[in-house]
Amino acid sequence: MTRAETAYHGELGEYFAALATNNASNAHTDRPAMLKLAGDVRGLRVLDVGCGAGHYAAELRDRGAAEVVGVEGSETLLRAARERLGDGVELHQHDLEEPLAFLKDTSFDLAVMALVYHHVEAREQLLAELRRVLRPGGRLLVSTTHPAGEWTWFGGSYFADERVEAPLDGGFTIHYWRMTLEKFLGELLGAGFVLEQLMEPRAVEEAREIDPRRYERTHTVPYFLAVRLRRP
């Protein structure tokens, strides 16, 4: 089981599984941007890192990926993913703070890590593992909280490098690492990946009816940062 600081367990996992299905942030800001970065996935073998309740795995499968493999530390979220995906998607419960030893070298064409990176402490190790399991020329997609948006939210020094906690509706609190743009990109490039594209996602039109306040805010304050990288 992944430690509580990294994955969403129990009631928090159940809350997030439901929330991410059709909310302004996950479903209509992060996901459209990341899927746009993914492009045509037909025939690809895809790794969904921190697959949560299976929202990305379902989209990638439905868009023609030859195979999707999901890795998630929370049994709560994996249970939701199994319900969503049924048979045909290989799912593993695994602590992302530990090596991906059960995955073979150069066995994936694409790895997707959506709003997971900032929760992980052993990021250098995780990036090395992702580089190992991606074939040469394979792509890595990563989304995270936007450093400028975090600075607006938490205040203090933009250059703070610290674990923070943020309240959610429903009385829940999540913990993650706050980092600068320099640190985020520096870690990815330092792991040997080549940056191909960077996006600052804004909510798509569907979010306006669900949460008009959040829709407008994402067009004023940056919420997320998404990148596509290539494994040389």
Side-chain angles (χ1 to χ4, degrees):
M1 176 183 290
T2 302
R3 59 207 72 177
E5 292 82 358
T6 306
Y8 297 165
H9 301 285
E11 291 184 357
L12 174 58
E14 293 172 357
Y15 171 81
F16 180 75
L19 180 73
T21 300
N22 192 36
N23 69 339
S25 296
N26 299 87
H28 299 302
T29 304
D30 176 67
R31 210 172 299 149
M34 288 283 274
L35 291 171
K36 183 175 181 180
L37 287 176
D40 186 359
V41 300
R42 288 176 295 179
L44 301 185
R45 190 163 192 261
V46 182
L47 177 64
D48 187 355
V49 185
C51 65
H55 296 95
Y56 271 96
E59 286 275 5
L60 294 163
R61 177 195 61 189
D62 294 347
R63 290 170 183 238
E67 185 177 359
V68 180
V69 176
V71 178
E72 170 59 49
S74 165
E75 174 57 34
T76 306
L77 287 171
L78 271 184
R79 188 164 54 247
R82 291 188 186 104
E83 292 174 0
R84 171 166 285 104
L85 298 166
D87 297 330
V89 174
E90 182 182 329
L91 297 174
H92 297 268
Q93 184 175 3
H94 179 74
D95 185 349
L96 291 179
E97 304 288 356
E98 301 295 333
L100 302 170
F102 55 96
L103 298 177
K104 295 180 180 179
D105 293 0
T106 63
S107 56
F108 291 94
D109 303 294
L110 173 69
V112 177
M113 185 161 47
L115 299 180
V116 173
Y117 190 71
H118 49 287
H119 290 285
V120 178
E121 185 167 356
R123 296 187 299 275
E124 182 178 354
Q125 174 182 265
L126 178 57
L127 289 173
E129 285 291 272
L130 292 174
R131 193 178 192 280
R132 176 182 67 79
V133 302
L134 281 169
R135 65 167 177 79
R139 263 66 179 189
L140 170 63
L141 310 183
V142 183
S143 61
T144 189
T145 55
H146 197 294
E150 294 294 280
W151 184 32
T152 302
W153 175 257
F154 288 105
S157 171
Y158 167 80
F159 296 100
D161 180 11
E162 58 190 2
R163 184 177 282 279
V164 295
E165 60 178 53
L168 298 178
D169 294 337
F172 297 105
T173 300
I174 59 173
H175 302 81
Y176 56 89
W177 287 95
R178 174 182 172 186
M179 64 188 82
T180 62
L181 178 62
E182 178 181 64
K183 185 174 183 65
F184 173 65
L185 289 179
E187 289 180 355
L188 297 170
L189 300 178
F193 291 97
V194 176
L195 180 64
E196 289 191 335
Q197 188 173 350
L198 181 150
M199 293 179 67
E200 295 174 301
R202 278 143 278 187
V204 296
E205 191 62 28
E206 289 86 343
R208 193 191 292 269
E209 294 183 9
I210 296 168
D211 189 340
R213 179 177 173 276
R214 179 61 59 90
Y215 173 86
E216 294 296 340
R217 187 163 173 78
T218 66
H219 287 257
T220 305
V221 177
Y223 265 68
F224 300 134
L225 188 65
V227 293
R228 185 179 70 227
L229 305 118
R230 177 173 48 84
R231 186 252 204 245

